[in-house]
Amino acid sequence: MREPLFDKFNLPAKFQQYGPGQKDSIDGTFEAFQRRDIVLGEHPTGSGKTLIAVMLPHMMGRRMVYTCTTKSLQRQFMTDFPDAVLLLGRSNYPCGRFLSRFPYITANDCPPLILLPDKERQNLNPAAAVDNLLYPRCVLDCPYMAAKTKALAAQIAVLNIQYLLPEANYAGRFTDLEYLVLDEIDMLENALLSFVEINLSTDMIAYLGLAPPEHKTKFESWQTWAVEASQVVEDRIAQLHHDTGPGLTDANLKNIRRLKTLEHLNGKLGYFLSHVNAYWIWENKQTREGEAWCFKPILVGPFGQQDVWRHASKVLGMSATILGFEQIVKNIGIPREDWEGYASPSFFPLENRRVMARPALCLDLKHYKENIVKLPGAIDQILSEHPEEKGIIHTVSYQTANYLQQHLGELQPENRGRLLFHTPQNRLDIIKQFKESTEARVLASPSIERGEDFPDDVCRFIVIAKLPHLYLGDPQVKRRLYGHRDGNAWYTQKTAAALVQMSGRGVRHTNDRCVTYVLDSTFSAWYAKNRGILPKWWADSLVWG
């Protein structure tokens, strides 16, 4: 018999009964919202946290904006709740004037208001407020604006967090939200960092003719540099306004795209000048094209209230890997007095989700060259134990994936043809090929830690080649780790979260099963030191071999 509330709230027919623990999680979260405006919910991978999030706005009588970290997760949400309204970024929609030229011309190529002919400016719809001066309402129907208008009025709108942050803080339409859900809340720190930081490509540095700050380690010198850079950018913007005529010719299109990039950069420079202090870093990256620069803060917590929490009256943050509420509250700047945490156990049978510690090699920087040669043999053994089953290999880096691909000849003949690899460009196509394959294929990837489900026969075993530590070659990571008292707790939390997420890609419901193998020989020492940060349900699944 179908749960009565599912009928009352008109949930899709696929939802008949609560899963194990879901009703308690919903009731516990609802009660927490009576006491606090921000609730953090930790729910094991595959436990159905999306349903928990969707039930709450119905119970509270509020409209919901649900944010994901990837477009694939947005579409996954839409598969479960097709009555929700999906909203993507502008470049995912055609321009209403040039439908046949999509995706070469997109809604993101809408010319700035100042470039429109006088007649067209006079014909703009006065009843619809311009949500951003760079993107005026078109006289013709705009597919993006139609989707946005629908999302703003929806009971449930599904957005990407990278879209929400600029929309809430600049365009100003997705603010004063009744109920905001931040899925993968432990990834919000990365999203905030991306939103705040300034990146200058080799091409942009050359185009603007910029020199680096005079004193690269002093933020006062960066402030002087930013003022001068902003003036250069404004001069270039004025010149592009002068040089760009009406219409979307190829020449004008190039200028319009450059103009919008410069307007975005100028806004970031203004933000930078308002917030830069001694807790920012300047990074000079060497790319194939030359120098690239990045300015970014070491801590993003100070930006949380201004850029996230003030935009909604109720916020639910969810993840399987919060792994310490106090630490994540500090990481993302939640007001200390305004949150409450709720953690759920796992109801999946232990025998269906075993994690096997099988020490075989150490792929840290110091031992990589001498140990990487052991990887093909370790993989070959596991593949031979699962000859008729599909699985995934978390290589953690493209370097390791490439090595494995180049040494397939070291595997037994029957295993060589089973492996699938991808590049950043064909990642989604290869994942789709793997999921749809009826053969015992194995996907080797450095980037399927989150955002992908591999239920049932799609994945019966998982291999984790090494502990997924953050890269210490990133100066921001290094300063965050060694320059702050909670640095080690922060760094350990990141590793633990990635480890739990990796092992959770395969078990997606109560009757599902998938075994995980951890090959890193440093895992036992790391676990002995840090076991307290891992969820009990995950630690209980460990088998030492």
Side-chain angles (χ1 to χ4, degrees):
M1 181 177 176
R2 180 169 156 97
E3 167 62 41
L5 279 180
F6 293 176
D7 284 327
K8 179 180 178 181
F9 298 149
N10 198 30
L11 265 59
K14 65 175 288 185
F15 296 100
Q16 292 293 315
Q17 295 290 323
Y18 290 113
Q22 280 185 328
K23 181 68 164 59
D24 289 341
S25 294
I26 291 168
D27 290 343
T29 306
F30 180 78
E31 291 170 7
F33 269 127
Q34 311 311 305
R35 299 183 291 268
R36 297 287 187 268
D37 291 332
I38 301 172
V39 178
L40 304 179
E42 184 177 71
H43 306 281
T45 51
S47 61
K49 63 181 186 293
T50 308
L51 177 62
I52 297 170
V54 168
M55 286 294 289
L56 288 163
H58 291 295
M59 295 167 68
M60 295 189 293
R62 294 169 178 260
R63 291 189 299 172
M64 175 174 78
V65 170
Y66 189 101
T67 64
C68 305
T69 54
T70 65
K71 285 191 285 188
S72 63
L73 283 174
Q74 284 180 269
R75 294 191 172 100
Q76 195 176 108
F77 184 100
M78 294 300 298
T79 300
D80 290 336
F81 299 95
D83 290 338
V85 175
L86 175 68
L87 181 60
L88 303 171
R90 284 180 173 273
S91 61
N92 295 279
Y93 299 87
C95 172
R97 298 163 177 261
F98 300 97
L99 294 173
S100 63
R101 299 189 68 185
F102 180 77
Y104 177 66
I105 295 178
T106 74
N108 200 43
D109 296 316
C110 183
L113 188 61
I114 194 172
L115 298 179
L116 288 179
D118 290 341
K119 183 177 180 181
E120 290 195 25
R121 267 188 271 177
Q122 293 169 2
N123 290 333
L124 291 176
N125 183 356
V130 174
D131 64 303
N132 189 321
L133 287 179
L134 285 178
Y135 305 103
R137 287 283 187 150
C138 189
V139 180
L140 305 177
D141 290 335
C142 174
Y144 165 74
M145 290 308 302
K148 184 174 183 179
T149 300
K150 187 177 179 181
L152 285 164
Q155 175 65 32
I156 300 176
V158 186
L159 279 59
N160 191 296
I161 185 60
Q162 288 82 7
Y163 173 90
L164 176 67
L165 288 173
E167 273 292 323
N169 289 288
Y170 296 140
R173 301 296 296 280
F174 281 97
T175 189
D176 296 326
L177 305 175
E178 296 178 8
Y179 172 61
L180 171 65
V181 176
L182 298 169
D183 191 19
E184 305 290 0
I185 184 71
D186 54 321
M187 297 295 288
L188 180 60
E189 184 177 5
N190 293 351
L192 271 172
L193 183 63
S194 178
F195 176 64
V196 172
E197 69 184 7
I198 298 178
N199 284 289
L200 287 165
S201 66
T202 305
D203 173 66
M204 183 59 69
I205 293 169
Y207 174 73
L208 296 174
L210 295 176
E214 182 178 359
H215 302 290
K216 299 174 184 178
T217 59
K218 296 182 178 180
F219 78 89
E220 295 89 351
S221 180
W222 305 343
Q223 290 174 314
T224 302
W225 172 88
V227 171
E228 296 171 352
S230 184
Q231 185 58 58
V232 173
V233 170
E234 289 175 4
D235 291 344
R236 291 285 186 174
I237 289 172
Q239 186 64 48
L240 284 170
H241 281 161
H242 179 271
D243 294 344
T244 307
L248 288 184
T249 64
D250 286 343
N252 283 344
L253 193 60
K254 181 179 179 181
N255 283 351
I256 288 168
R257 288 171 177 170
R258 179 74 83 177
L259 180 60
K260 291 177 180 179
T261 300
L262 291 177
E263 292 280 8
H264 178 72
L265 174 59
N266 208 31
K268 285 225 169 187
L269 286 168
Y271 192 99
F272 174 77
L273 282 166
S274 299
H275 295 88
V276 67
N277 55 34
Y279 295 100
W280 284 60
I281 62 169
W282 180 74
E283 182 181 4
N284 185 2
K285 302 177 182 178
Q286 293 298 324
T287 68
R288 292 180 180 178
E289 294 77 25
E291 282 190 337
W293 304 338
C294 179
F295 295 89
K296 54 186 173 182
I298 300 168
L299 303 170
V300 300
F303 304 97
Q305 176 61 26
Q306 174 180 327
D307 294 335
V308 181
W309 313 116
R310 69 183 178 91
H311 293 297
S313 58
K314 296 288 184 183
V315 182
L316 174 62
M318 307 181 77
S319 177
T321 48
I322 291 177
L323 308 185
F325 291 106
E326 292 288 347
Q327 183 63 50
I328 200 168
V329 164
K330 186 185 301 183
N331 293 348
I332 56 182
I334 296 177
R336 292 193 59 84
E337 70 286 352
D338 201 25
W339 68 274
E340 187 169 323
Y342 184 91
S344 301
S346 175
F347 293 92
F348 295 170
L350 268 176
E351 61 271 19
N352 290 0
R353 53 181 175 89
R354 290 296 185 186
V355 178
M356 314 293 291
R358 186 178 286 189
L361 68 168
C362 174
L363 295 180
D364 63 16
L365 186 61
K366 182 179 180 181
H367 301 96
Y368 190 88
K369 287 185 178 180
E370 65 185 83
N371 275 264
I372 188 64
V373 297
K374 302 175 184 177
L375 181 63
I379 296 297
D380 192 43
Q381 179 180 343
I382 293 172
L383 264 58
S384 295
E385 294 173 17
H386 300 269
E388 298 180 356
E389 293 180 321
K390 297 170 69 175
I392 60 178
I393 302 170
H394 294 287
T395 63
V396 181
S397 70
Y398 276 106
Q399 179 186 11
T400 299
N402 292 339
Y403 182 91
L404 184 59
Q405 186 173 17
Q406 292 162 9
H407 292 79
L408 289 178
E410 299 176 26
L411 275 62
Q412 297 180 59
E414 62 268 25
N415 289 333
R416 294 171 191 167
R418 295 176 62 187
L419 271 73
L420 287 170
F421 300 86
H422 67 77
T423 65
Q425 291 74 31
N426 69 359
R427 176 180 176 275
L428 294 179
D429 291 335
I430 297 299
I431 290 174
K432 184 174 186 288
Q433 178 185 341
F434 169 72
K435 287 184 174 182
E436 294 176 353
S437 175
T438 57
E439 300 177 345
R441 304 304 298 268
V442 179
L443 175 64
S445 170
S447 59
I448 51 173
E449 167 193 326
R450 297 174 187 250
E452 297 291 343
D453 288 349
F454 301 96
D456 301 312
D457 288 340
V458 176
C459 179
R460 292 303 188 189
F461 68 94
I462 292 170
V463 180
I464 299 174
K466 71 179 294 291
L467 285 176
H469 301 298
L470 292 180
Y471 175 53
L472 287 176
D474 184 328
Q476 187 266 341
V477 172
K478 194 171 185 178
R479 285 278 299 276
R480 181 70 178 86
L481 171 59
Y482 296 117
H484 296 270
R485 283 188 296 179
D486 69 334
N488 190 64
W490 169 82
Y491 189 77
T492 301
Q493 182 190 52
K494 296 295 185 182
T495 300
L499 180 65
V500 173
Q501 290 284 351
M502 285 177 170
S503 66
R505 295 307 93 207
V507 181
R508 308 307 298 177
H509 57 82
T510 305
N511 297 320
D512 203 355
R513 61 174 177 83
C514 181
V515 60
T516 296
Y517 301 92
V518 181
L519 301 185
D520 196 322
S521 58
T522 69
F523 173 61
S524 59
W526 180 90
Y527 177 80
K529 183 179 180 181
N530 302 299
R531 64 178 300 171
I533 197 173
L534 291 160
K536 184 179 183 301
W537 59 263
W538 194 90
D540 288 344
S541 70
L542 271 171
V543 177
W544 299 93

